[in-house]
């Protein structure tokens, strides 16, 4: 094949969320009319538009094709140089493929979000909120975390105090709040505080929370103890003042003993000597009653955890690594922590590898998820159900398909279906510990981008729905990847 090509310019720069254009010039140096098809290749191919997609050239003529690069303002648009190529396939000679190469530099940007989970904590001696720091930029985030409050009423134990977060990832910082003075009696007091995420050269990102310090003893108990002490003192005083005087009515009687030197008149008239007690009298008395030994029996019960909507997914090979296999390994490495593992079923590709603790499961920008496999540890089990398209809806939104199902700690839980004709999974609801513990989530929606991270908020009645929803609601917006954290 005879073809001359040139990229103008060969290197270009673009900002995430913006666009730039590179021209590809080519000349048919052969002696036959040929038609050329164009396809962008490389890491930037999903954000590249080729116009026109094909071009017909006569011998000796020149044509121009425009490549428009539009990387999104998301962590997927990695900062720095990104090599790319344009595959040119001629119709007359399909085996003679040409791939001119160029370089696209994506500028860096930073975006950080932080949230306290939960924003309000209560306790007498300490509170333990968690700070979720999400790196939504396209460069590595390095930051430190510190705490402060008005009046220096709290002390802070922050672990880790310094974090490094890759693009598109999140870190969870454990914080222990301790009041400097214990409140023994009275009502609860609110202690507002601030956790600051500090980065070099950037103003700190402040996240505000409230620590509700409870008294060691409630106010009503203090009043009760005061009354009780007063009554006890009054009783003692009355007893001392009016103590009864006890006197005995018995009198001692002196007995005169006469000593006579005369012999007794009659030996038979002497008093009879007392008899020794019999052996029967010295024996201990016989038991009058016996104690019956009590008997008891142990009872047994059985329980089961299930996963709904995924009977096909449960029929996997014994050697396959499921979410339960992964979370049990996490539990063995960290038996004192909380963990969640998950994987997704992509139509035509099968199950993905298991991801854990806010890692990505799925492929953003490609693939259609029809089922999700979840397992947890340290959260007293999980529950959920699937949300699928509803073609008959008046507002073009989906609906929940099937009942809410649950699974115990360390067991596989499935939502959705792996059948060949299974509907796209628009999203799913999920809870842990029957809604009494926190689960956080974000998802990559088809045709859009990563959603904001959301968490359910146990203990806050106005916000507590008992679960959080992962995904979108419209019939044409299914999920392509998920990240979960407990």
């Amino acid at each position: 094949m005879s073809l001359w090509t040139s990229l103008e310019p060969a290197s270009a720069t673009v900002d995430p969320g913006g666009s730039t254009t590179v021209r590809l010039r080519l000349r048919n140096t052969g002696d036959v009319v040929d038609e050329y098809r164009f396809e962008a290749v490389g890491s930037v191919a999903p954000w590249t538009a080729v116009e026109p997609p094909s071009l017909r050239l006569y011998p000796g003529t020149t044509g121009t094709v425009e490549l428009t690069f539009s990387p999104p303002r998301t962590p997927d648009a990695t900062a720095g140089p990104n090599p790319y190529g344009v595959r040119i396939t001629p119709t007359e000679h399909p085996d003679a493929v040409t791939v001119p190469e160029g370089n696209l530099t994506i500028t860096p940007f930073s975006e950080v979000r932080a949230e306290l989970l939960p924003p309000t904590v209560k306790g007498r001696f300490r509170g333990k909120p968690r700070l979720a720091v999400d790196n939504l930029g396209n460069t590595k985030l390095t930051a430190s975390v510190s705490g402060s409050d008005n009046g220096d009423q709290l002390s802070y134990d922050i672990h880790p105090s310094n974090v490094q977060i890759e693009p598109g990832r999140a870190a969870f910082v454990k914080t222990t709040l301790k009041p400097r003075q214990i409140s023994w009696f009275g009502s609860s007091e609110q202690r507002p505080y601030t956790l600051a995420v500090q980065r070099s050269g950037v103003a700190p990102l402040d996240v505000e929370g409230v620590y509700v310090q409870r008294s060691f003893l409630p106010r009503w108990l203090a009043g009760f103890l005061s009354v009780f002490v007063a009554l006890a003192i009054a009783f003692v005083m009355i007893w001392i003042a009016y103590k009864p005087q006890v006197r005995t009515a018995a009198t001692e009687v002196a007995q005169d003993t006469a000593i006579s030197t005369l012999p007794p008149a009659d030996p038979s008239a002497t008093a009879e000597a007392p008899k020794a007690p019999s052996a029967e009298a010295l024996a201990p008395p016989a038991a009058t009653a016996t104690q019956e030994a009590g008997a008891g029996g142990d009872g047994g019960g059985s329980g089961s955890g299930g996963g709904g909507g995924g009977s096909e997914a449960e029929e996997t090979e014994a050697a396959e690594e499921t979410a339960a296999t992964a979370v049990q390994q996490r539990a063995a490495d960290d038996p004192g922590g909380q963990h969640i593992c998950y994987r997704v079923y992509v139509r035509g590709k099968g199950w993905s590898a298991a991801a854990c603790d806010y890692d990505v499961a799925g492929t953003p920008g490609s693939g259609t998820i029809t089922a999700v496999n979840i397992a947890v540890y340290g959260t007293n089990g999980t529950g959920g159900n699937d949300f699928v398209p509803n073609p008959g809806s008046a507002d073009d939104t989906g609906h929940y398909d099937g009942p809410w199902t649950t699974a115990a700690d360390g067991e596989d839980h499935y939502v959705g279906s792996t059948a060949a004709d299974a509907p796209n999974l628009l999203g799913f609801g999920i809870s842990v510990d029957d809604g009494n513990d926190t689960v956080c989530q974000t998802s990559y929606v088809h045709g859009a981008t990563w959603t904001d991270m959301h968490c359910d908020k146990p203990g806050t009645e106005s916000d507590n729905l008992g679960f959080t929803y992962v995904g979108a609601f419209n019939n044409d917006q299914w999920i392509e990847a998920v990240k979960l954290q407990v």
Side-chain angles (χ1 to χ4, degrees):
M1 180 190 71
S2 299
L3 180 66
W4 172 85
T5 62
S6 175
L7 283 170
E8 301 175 355
S11 298
T13 302
V14 63
D15 296 328
S19 63
T20 189
T21 301
V22 173
R23 290 180 175 85
L24 171 65
R25 297 182 61 196
L26 65 160
R27 180 185 298 117
N28 184 356
T29 59
D31 53 2
V32 296
V33 178
D34 210 340
E35 182 176 6
Y36 305 94
R37 297 189 302 273
F38 308 98
E39 180 184 4
V41 294
S43 61
V44 300
W47 317 314
T48 306
V50 182
E51 186 62 34
S54 62
L55 189 64
R56 185 178 181 86
L57 294 178
Y58 287 91
T61 60
T62 302
T64 302
V65 175
E66 290 190 347
L67 307 176
T68 302
F69 302 98
S70 303
R73 190 178 174 84
T74 66
D76 300 320
T78 306
N82 292 268
Y84 70 91
V86 183
R87 182 185 292 117
I88 305 175
T89 306
T91 304
E92 295 298 328
H93 305 87
D95 295 334
V97 176
T98 300
V99 184
E101 297 180 350
N103 187 72
L104 178 68
T105 300
I106 299 177
T107 59
F109 76 95
S110 298
E111 184 176 349
V112 180
R113 293 182 186 177
E115 181 181 5
L116 274 171
L117 306 172
T120 301
V121 292
K122 301 177 182 180
R124 292 180 175 85
F125 305 108
R126 64 179 57 87
K128 293 186 177 181
R130 292 188 299 171
L131 179 67
V133 183
D134 208 334
N135 182 8
L136 302 181
N138 62 353
T139 58
K140 180 184 290 187
L141 169 67
T142 300
S144 61
V145 181
S146 61
S148 63
D149 61 275
N150 293 330
D152 196 25
Q153 297 173 332
L154 302 173
S155 64
Y156 304 85
D157 182 10
I158 300 174
H159 181 77
S161 58
N162 295 281
V163 293
Q164 288 189 340
I165 310 174
E166 297 292 336
R169 296 292 187 90
F172 286 81
V173 179
K174 296 180 179 180
T175 304
T176 300
L177 310 175
K178 294 181 180 180
R180 297 189 183 275
Q181 293 183 350
I182 297 176
S183 176
W184 293 101
F185 298 100
S187 58
S188 300
E189 297 184 14
Q190 293 189 352
R191 311 286 190 194
Y193 68 94
T194 301
L195 294 183
V197 181
Q198 299 176 328
R199 295 169 287 162
S200 177
V202 181
L205 175 62
D206 293 336
V207 184
E208 296 181 349
V210 176
Y211 172 65
V212 179
Q213 183 180 358
R214 293 172 173 170
S215 298
F216 184 75
L217 296 176
R219 176 172 295 179
W220 66 266
L221 183 57
F224 172 80
L225 292 177
S226 300
V227 173
F228 178 79
V229 171
L231 292 175
I233 294 174
F235 177 79
V236 172
M237 297 300 294
I238 294 173
W239 173 265
I240 294 174
Y242 297 97
K243 181 177 180 180
Q245 300 297 323
V246 180
R247 296 180 178 179
T248 179
T251 59
E252 295 181 357
V253 178
Q255 295 182 353
D256 295 334
T257 305
I259 302 176
S260 175
T261 59
L262 298 176
D266 186 1
S268 63
T270 59
E272 183 180 0
K275 296 181 180 180
S278 64
E280 290 79 1
L282 293 175
T288 58
T290 59
Q291 297 180 351
E292 297 179 356
D298 294 335
S302 63
S304 63
S311 59
E312 300 90 344
E314 295 175 349
E315 297 177 0
T316 56
E317 296 293 335
E320 181 182 11
E321 181 186 36
T322 67
T325 308
V327 84
Q328 290 167 8
Q329 181 61 47
R330 287 289 175 107
D333 297 336
D334 181 20
Q338 291 182 321
H339 301 285
I340 182 170
C341 295
Y342 41 91
R343 57 181 185 151
V344 297
Y345 188 87
V346 180
R347 190 189 309 278
K349 297 181 180 180
W351 285 106
S352 70
C356 299
D357 298 334
Y358 217 67
D359 287 338
V360 178
T363 306
S366 65
T368 302
I369 295 176
T370 64
V372 180
N373 171 209
I374 306 167
V376 297
Y377 172 79
T379 66
N380 293 327
T382 182
N385 62 346
D386 52 339
F387 194 84
V388 299
N390 182 17
S393 64
D395 55 357
D396 197 31
T397 58
H399 66 133
Y400 286 105
D401 182 26
W404 186 271
T405 57
T406 60
D409 264 10
E411 295 185 359
D412 281 312
H413 186 209
Y414 294 89
V415 295
S417 174
T418 60
D421 58 349
N424 301 343
L425 194 62
L426 305 185
F428 58 93
I430 182 175
S431 71
V432 294
D433 194 11
D434 197 20
N436 294 316
D437 207 342
T438 300
V439 57
C440 300
Q441 53 79 22
T442 180
S443 60
Y444 192 97
V445 178
H446 173 72
T449 183
W450 285 101
T451 62
D452 293 339
M453 183 177 67
H454 291 286
C455 310
D456 61 347
K457 301 178 180 179
T460 306
E461 295 183 359
S462 59
D463 298 331
N464 183 21
L465 301 177
F467 71 97
T468 183
Y469 179 77
V470 185
F473 295 94
N474 293 340
N475 286 330
D476 59 349
Q477 289 185 312
W478 56 87
I479 56 176
E480 297 178 340
V482 298
K483 295 190 288 185
L484 304 177
Q485 174 74 40
V486 295

